[in-house]
Amino acid sequence: MPKLVVFREDPIEYTLEEGSTSIGRSNANDIILADKSVSKRHAIITCQNMKNGEAHVQIADLHSTNGTLVNGEKISYHNLKDSDQLSIGSVQCAYLID
């Protein structure tokens, strides 16, 4: 099962279900990151379950002010792989597959 781990004082794990998961500072998002470096609507993760049981997971930056980085590279769109390191604004996260 794919998940996003957000590193704060205590890491928080979010299971990524099939469909879209919005990330941002606004309370309207599925994952709320209350940090000034994060845009109100910062990024979206899309998860599609394949017939072979694997998940195809992508992240897209929503033209955020401070950008989205995957493994240190600024992206507009990226297919996620196990253990990818993400920076959403200045918030550090990891994409992991159980």
Side-chain angles (χ1 to χ4, degrees):
M1 180 70 67
K3 62 185 173 184
L4 183 72
V5 179
V6 177
F7 297 106
R8 296 297 215 173
E9 290 178 21
D10 293 317
I12 302 171
E13 288 186 10
Y14 296 93
T15 300
L16 300 172
E17 303 290 339
E18 186 166 27
S20 298
T21 302
S22 61
I23 303 169
R25 195 175 71 240
S26 166
N27 289 337
N29 291 288
D30 299 308
I31 297 175
I32 302 164
L33 301 177
D35 187 287
K36 289 184 180 186
S37 69
V38 176
S39 294
K40 289 180 183 176
R41 292 202 62 225
H42 197 102
I44 192 161
I45 295 177
T46 306
C47 182
Q48 180 181 8
N49 293 327
M50 308 305 282
K51 289 183 180 180
N52 63 4
E54 294 181 15
H56 182 69
V57 183
Q58 305 139 0
I59 187 167
D61 183 79
L62 298 175
H63 305 288
S64 65
T65 302
N66 292 313
T68 301
L69 282 72
V70 177
N71 301 322
E73 302 275 332
K74 190 170 185 176
I75 59 97
S76 54
Y77 177 85
H78 184 82
N79 291 318
L80 293 171
K81 296 183 255 6
D82 189 30
S83 300
D84 276 346
Q85 301 299 304
L86 289 74
S87 297
I88 298 171
S90 64
V91 178
Q92 301 301 307
C93 308
Y95 171 74
L96 301 171
I97 301 172
D98 279 344

